[in-house]
Amino acid sequence: MQNDNKTNQDIEKFSVITVRGTLTKSKYLEPYIGDDNTIPSWDGTVFIYNKPGKIKKHFIGKVDVQVKGTQQDNFSLKQAKYDVAVDDLKAYAESGGTIFFVVYIASDWQTKIYYNTLTPVKLYGLLKECDGQEHKRIVLEEFPNGDREIANIFFHFHDSCKKQCGFTPDKMISFAELKNNKEITCITGFSTGIDYPDGETAILNSETYLYVQKNNVPINIPVLASPLCLYINQDIPATISVNGAKFYDKITIQKTRNGAKVLIGKSFSFPLDKPPVEVQWKLCPNFKDLLKDLDFMVSAIHNHGYEIDGNVIELALTKEEMAALDLPRNEKKLKLLKDIKLVFDKLHIKKDFNLSKLTDSEWRAIKVLITAFIDKLPVSGWQQKIEFRVIFQIQGIEILLAFKKVDDKVDTYEIYDFFHAPMVIISEGENGNYIVPPYAALTADEYSKISNIDFEDIVPSYKSLYEISEEQELIYCSVDNILRMIEAYDIKGNKCLLKVAMDIYNWLVEIGHDSVNMLLNKLQIIKRERDFTIDEKKVLVELAEDGGQAEEVRVGANLLLDNQFAAKVHFEKMTKDDQELFKQFPIFKFWKG
């Protein structure tokens, strides 16, 4: 950048002239941006018209704008960054939004305009991140040249600000609430503009904000989140194979504002307007997708091509391309991924994880698992005493393992899946000790977190032990297991827990262990899955109105019927100790107030 003695006043004035001149050319916009910056935080206003001509009857609104300039000779940047005063951001938020311009001015007075549409939602998000700062850096995009594109930026900004004004951050919905807020009945996004050929194009070429409606009330509440960068995917059935071995059953056409491309798996693509030999290899980080994609890539390279519906696509890679792909390294990585999959299959783990975010300790844990479950070797080098039960954590995946000391070796252990270890778990009962399944040792919190629980083995494990011993304590243990699984479902929402809890209930009924409390357990499982049928409601009404039933049964029945007042009346008739005990049961979840 040359120092050609441009003053700050020169730069600011020329920036305003550049933006004003560009907007003046539009058939739909009428800028009122003065050369003298006399208005705090703003440089002017732009009037918007919904038809060419700029006459009063076509006027639809106005937006505030701010223009900044900087001397810069590098016009190749797709984005610009600029530090904005936090006080200005607050003023923009209070006024309902501002379009912020930054003009790059070269030494020869050439210009390039960047912009950011600072809607209330964007501004609240930026202000939340400030944390005592005096300035906040914002990112600006290249300003388009076409009249339609420019006008649509203003149309959509004006419409978005109208929808978001009047909502303070505490009245908006956070993005995290979208998944769990049961009051939300509708989620929508809007696009406003002219001359779009279809809705798909309009959505792709606009900043899309989300709005929700609660309880079917037709008021669009803004979601406090950055506008979405949308794309539209169209899946097309197709067999993708290498030398006859099938890898995928579809290709995906992905459309964005910048064009369209063909996706194969999660890691490979080629532009829609170019031949499929020009594959772009960009490996995704997620384990499950990467395993398949890397296997496909290695196979295709060795085979010098792949097939789409039987049509051979030859790959003739140059030495430079081969060097960039680093085949030996990726083959080694593929071997590691296949070993991880074998371990996870043995441990009944279905969760995915991001390989690029694994810590050093998590990689060490993976290598220990491969040694124990693939190589079937003891693991040495443990410096501290290891407990019988050990939990390995790998990026949110919690694996419960059993450690057994190797007697003749120092700090060396055999490692097993806790639920299939060659050991027994003993529990104390009224009539002495008895063997219980390993699942009986789990708390509700562990049921909600542990990833290697073999759910298909839970009922058979109880059955096999009961067939040998017919211990009454085993029945009590299994009932307690039902309650802990219901409680775990309330923590994490894993529907598999409810299914297995119901399977245990059905087995207990099958062997003759049935009671009113068991019936309430069945019905509280059902309530978590779906609405009651008429017959199920009748059963609950009979229990709730039966004076011969224990008070805790009548409380439970009324809670399942959502009869809060009646539940509280019968709850008050219970002893203080029984009340405290009742509060520990998962059915108390339905207590309100």
Side-chain angles (χ1 to χ4, degrees):
M1 184 169 62
Q2 300 176 8
N3 183 4
D4 55 0
N5 298 319
K6 290 185 178 70
T7 66
N8 289 336
Q9 186 176 4
D10 291 336
I11 292 173
E12 292 298 326
K13 187 172 183 178
F14 198 68
S15 299
V16 168
I17 292 171
T18 301
V19 172
R20 186 173 60 211
T22 299
L23 300 183
T24 301
K25 296 175 186 177
S26 172
K27 299 189 292 287
Y28 303 91
L29 306 176
E30 189 172 15
Y32 291 90
I33 309 173
D35 296 338
D36 297 324
N37 189 2
T38 59
I39 307 173
S41 302
W42 293 276
D43 284 308
T45 302
V46 177
F47 284 23
I48 309 170
Y49 300 86
N50 59 11
K51 290 183 180 180
K54 304 178 186 180
I55 60 176
K56 186 175 181 179
K57 69 176 181 178
H58 296 152
F59 174 77
I60 60 172
K62 60 182 180 178
V63 300
D64 294 328
V65 297
Q66 173 69 298
V67 182
K68 296 292 182 180
T70 182
Q71 191 167 346
Q72 173 65 259
D73 285 307
N74 183 7
F75 284 8
S76 64
L77 299 175
K78 296 293 184 183
Q79 293 180 326
K81 296 179 181 179
Y82 195 87
D83 291 337
V84 183
V86 171
D87 286 342
D88 284 341
L89 293 177
K90 291 178 181 177
Y92 301 154
E94 290 172 2
S95 70
T98 296
I99 298 183
F100 198 97
F101 291 96
V102 171
V103 181
Y104 277 13
I105 301 175
S107 53
D108 61 357
W109 294 99
Q110 291 188 61
T111 60
K112 182 173 182 178
I113 304 174
Y114 295 89
Y115 79 105
N116 192 326
T117 50
L118 298 176
T119 60
V121 163
K122 267 193 198 176
L123 289 162
Y124 292 141
L126 290 168
L127 289 169
K128 186 178 179 182
E129 298 170 356
C130 288
D131 193 25
Q133 300 168 237
E134 292 186 1
H135 288 81
K136 175 64 179 175
R137 179 161 293 184
I138 65 172
V139 178
L140 304 99
E141 304 293 334
E142 294 177 302
F143 197 58
N145 295 317
D147 187 18
R148 181 179 65 83
E149 290 83 359
I150 291 174
N152 284 340
I153 288 172
F154 280 81
F155 284 139
H156 188 61
F157 173 77
H158 177 258
D159 188 53
S160 297
C161 290
K162 282 200 305 181
K163 288 182 169 65
Q164 296 167 19
C165 280
F167 290 93
T168 54
D170 59 305
K171 299 297 182 182
M172 295 182 179
I173 301 293
S174 70
F175 195 79
E177 282 186 78
L178 293 182
K179 183 177 180 181
N180 299 316
N181 191 324
K182 299 189 183 306
E183 294 181 339
I184 293 174
T185 51
C186 180
I187 303 176
T188 56
F190 299 92
S191 178
T192 306
I194 55 170
D195 295 337
Y196 285 123
D198 49 52
E200 180 180 291
T201 305
I203 290 293
L204 289 178
N205 286 277
S206 301
E207 289 187 326
T208 303
Y209 295 89
L210 294 180
Y211 303 85
V212 302
Q213 293 179 4
K214 285 185 174 182
N215 301 318
N216 291 314
V217 176
I219 297 175
N220 292 312
I221 304 171
V223 176
L224 191 56
S226 300
L228 301 178
C229 297
L230 293 181
Y231 57 83
I232 296 175
N233 282 353
Q234 177 187 3
D235 291 338
I236 299 175
T239 299
I240 314 298
S241 57
V242 177
N243 200 24
K246 180 179 176 181
F247 283 87
Y248 310 99
D249 58 9
K250 67 178 181 180
I251 60 174
T252 300
I253 309 297
Q254 184 176 94
K255 298 178 182 179
T256 68
R257 65 189 304 172
N258 298 318
K261 59 183 177 180
V262 179
L263 303 179
I264 299 176
K266 300 294 183 181
S267 303
F268 316 118
S269 65
F270 56 87
L272 186 61
D273 58 351
K274 293 186 178 180
V277 293
E278 298 187 19
V279 177
Q280 298 171 2
W281 314 84
K282 186 177 179 181
L283 295 174
C284 72
N286 290 337
F287 168 70
K288 290 182 179 180
D289 292 324
L290 179 58
L291 175 59
K292 180 186 286 188
D293 292 351
L294 197 55
D295 197 6
F296 170 74
M297 187 185 86
V298 169
S299 300
I301 292 173
H302 278 302
N303 191 58
H304 304 292
Y306 62 101
E307 301 98 43
I308 300 179
D309 284 340
N311 298 305
V312 176
I313 311 298
E314 294 185 358
L315 294 177
L317 301 173
T318 65
K319 288 183 179 181
E320 291 77 13
E321 289 171 331
M322 285 294 293
L325 290 173
D326 198 350
L327 186 59
R329 177 176 172 272
N330 279 314
E331 287 178 320
K332 186 177 179 180
K333 189 174 185 178
L334 178 60
K335 169 65 169 59
L336 174 61
L337 296 184
K338 288 183 175 180
D339 284 346
I340 295 173
K341 184 179 186 305
L342 281 174
V343 171
F344 276 34
D345 287 347
K346 287 176 180 288
L347 292 172
H348 307 92
I349 297 173
K350 296 179 173 60
K351 286 187 176 181
D352 204 356
F353 62 95
N354 188 316
L355 281 153
S356 67
K357 295 182 179 179
L358 287 175
T359 64
D360 290 342
S361 62
E362 289 170 335
W363 273 118
R364 285 194 294 271
I366 286 174
K367 290 176 182 178
V368 167
L369 292 175
I370 290 173
T371 300
F373 291 95
I374 302 299
D375 302 333
K376 299 187 183 301
L377 295 173
V379 180
S380 60
W382 305 95
Q383 299 301 314
Q384 72 279 7
K385 182 180 178 181
I386 302 296
E387 300 294 334
F388 166 59
R389 298 168 88 247
V390 177
I391 292 180
F392 274 21
Q393 292 189 341
I394 300 173
Q395 212 176 91
I397 300 172
E398 297 196 15
I399 307 170
L400 182 57
L401 303 169
F403 274 54
K404 181 182 178 183
K405 181 92 170 54
V406 177
D407 294 332
D408 58 344
K409 294 185 178 180
V410 178
D411 297 331
T412 302
Y413 293 82
E414 293 177 340
I415 303 176
Y416 302 95
D417 179 355
F418 179 81
F419 304 105
H420 295 281
M423 312 168 189
V424 295
I425 297 178
I426 305 297
S427 181
E428 294 182 4
E430 293 181 0
N431 300 317
N433 296 337
Y434 63 101
I435 299 174
V436 296
Y439 309 99
L442 298 183
T443 64
D445 187 57
E446 288 174 329
Y447 261 119
S448 73
K449 292 180 178 178
I450 300 300
S451 302
N452 62 309
I453 299 172
D454 185 359
F455 286 104
E456 294 182 0
D457 180 58
I458 295 177
V459 175
S461 68
Y462 274 103
K463 281 184 177 181
S464 59
L465 285 176
Y466 186 76
E467 288 170 358
I468 296 171
S469 65
E470 293 191 0
E471 290 278 2
Q472 189 63 29
E473 283 86 354
L474 199 60
I475 298 296
Y476 302 147
C477 176
S478 61
V479 173
D480 188 53
N481 215 144
I482 289 175
L483 296 177
R484 278 180 280 126
M485 296 179 87
I486 295 173
E487 186 180 348
Y489 171 80
D490 290 340
I491 296 172
K492 210 62 174 257
N494 182 358
K495 292 185 178 180
C496 191
L497 290 161
L498 294 185
K499 178 185 180 303
V500 178
M502 186 65 83
D503 289 342
I504 296 175
Y505 165 83
N506 290 331
W507 166 65
L508 290 172
V509 171
E510 182 183 309
I511 62 174
H513 183 78
D514 201 0
S515 66
V516 172
N517 285 330
M518 284 291 291
L519 178 59
L520 284 179
N521 287 336
K522 173 186 176 181
L523 291 168
Q524 70 166 312
I525 292 172
I526 291 173
K527 185 175 178 66
R528 286 167 168 84
E529 293 178 318
R530 58 171 173 79
D531 294 334
F532 288 128
T533 64
I534 296 296
D535 289 339
E536 289 163 349
K537 288 181 180 179
K538 286 180 180 178
V539 169
L540 285 168
V541 170
E542 289 174 3
L543 291 176
E545 295 178 350
D546 186 354
Q549 294 291 344
E551 293 299 334
E552 59 264 28
V553 171
R554 301 182 74 179
V555 173
N558 277 298
L559 286 179
L560 294 180
L561 288 167
D562 295 323
N563 293 335
Q564 294 292 316
F565 180 77
K568 291 174 183 178
V569 168
H570 291 288
F571 185 76
E572 291 300 321
K573 296 180 181 180
M574 297 166 62
T575 67
K576 294 297 182 183
D577 288 343
D578 286 343
Q579 286 178 354
E580 292 305 313
L581 179 62
F582 188 87
K583 290 178 182 179
Q584 307 305 312
F585 294 134
I587 201 168
F588 195 71
K589 167 197 165 142
F590 301 109
W591 183 279
K592 297 177 183 177

